[in-house]
Amino acid sequence: MDSSITRDLYRDIVDFAHATPPWVQHFAELFTELGLLLFAVLFLAAWWRSRTRDEGSIALAVLAPLATAAGYVVSESFKSVVDEERPCRTVTEAAASLVPCPPTGDWSFPSNHSAIAGAAALALALAWPRIALLTVPLAVLMAFSRVFVGVHYPHDVTVGLVVGALVALVFVLALRRPAQALLGTMRTSRTGVVLWFAGPGRASS
């Protein structure tokens, strides 16, 4: 999978990373992992916002983290088939990665972080369209950070974003109606915790 084009682009990006100020490097090292927590916070915000809306809205919000998990599972399945070694181990002419290179067996293609980011960005955009202005750039930046810190090729993160987004889209489209019906039933429950989770809502349009 590591063509000369992506090898050269990887080397250029990692060399650029080493030329940036230390604070930029430290930020990238943190963001490449903590960015996932930002999506978790957005999932909670989308769910809380949807509790006072109709069943279709809360169904999309509840499905968003599940669709993201599905994107991760599909990405991880591809990894076990492709078995591409990490560029921080194979592109020996490039500068050292900013973070420790994952061990052999933790394969490179596609990027799970990017798949999670792509799935989360799309699923959240479906549940909360206006937030796409935040989630899409965030996903792209997260994907780029994986190359910047030296643990993925550019094609790893590109495919990861696409795979995650497509899986999330199919997952949400397939399960939206069943989830909407289930949450509508939950809103008629007399059990406090169930009603709290589903929210009071409003009449479906």
Side-chain angles (χ1 to χ4, degrees):
M1 295 295 295
D2 54 324
S3 69
S4 61
I5 295 177
T6 55
R7 285 178 67 95
D8 291 346
L9 185 54
Y10 167 83
R11 185 187 64 241
D12 291 343
I13 292 173
V14 174
D15 287 348
F16 167 73
H18 277 268
T20 59
W23 70 265
V24 174
Q25 297 177 25
H26 294 322
F27 174 79
E29 292 172 23
L30 290 173
F31 179 77
T32 194
E33 299 292 346
L34 295 182
L36 299 176
L37 294 180
L38 294 178
F39 280 117
V41 171
L42 292 174
F43 286 143
L44 288 173
W47 162 72
W48 188 259
R49 169 182 177 272
S50 70
R51 291 175 69 256
T52 56
R53 297 173 181 264
D54 59 50
E55 285 85 357
S57 296
I58 194 170
L60 290 174
V62 170
L63 287 173
L66 301 178
T68 301
Y72 165 76
V73 170
V74 172
S75 174
E76 182 63 25
S77 298
F78 276 126
K79 272 182 179 288
S80 64
V81 173
V82 177
D83 292 358
E84 177 189 74
E85 189 58 88
R86 297 276 181 165
C88 44
R89 186 167 292 106
T90 60
V91 187
T92 55
E93 68 274 19
S97 58
L98 297 181
V99 298
C101 193
T104 297
D106 185 351
W107 307 113
S108 189
F109 180 87
S111 163
N112 282 344
H113 281 72
S114 300
I116 291 171
L122 187 135
L124 282 165
L126 292 174
W128 190 353
R130 289 185 179 179
I131 210 172
L133 295 174
L134 171 62
T135 61
V136 172
L138 181 61
V140 172
L141 186 58
M142 273 196 62
F144 177 76
S145 75
R146 301 303 289 166
V147 183
F148 188 89
V149 300
V151 294
H152 277 291
Y153 288 105
H155 65 258
D156 296 338
V157 301
T158 301
V159 173
L161 283 172
V162 173
V163 167
L166 288 177
V167 170
L169 178 62
V170 172
F171 186 95
V172 170
L173 290 179
L175 295 181
R176 180 180 182 180
R177 287 193 177 184
Q180 183 174 338
L182 175 61
L183 286 158
T185 301
M186 291 173 68
R187 282 179 167 176
T188 65
S189 173
R190 294 184 178 181
T191 304
V193 67
V194 173
L195 187 58
W196 175 81
F197 176 80
R202 65 169 183 245
S204 300
S205 56

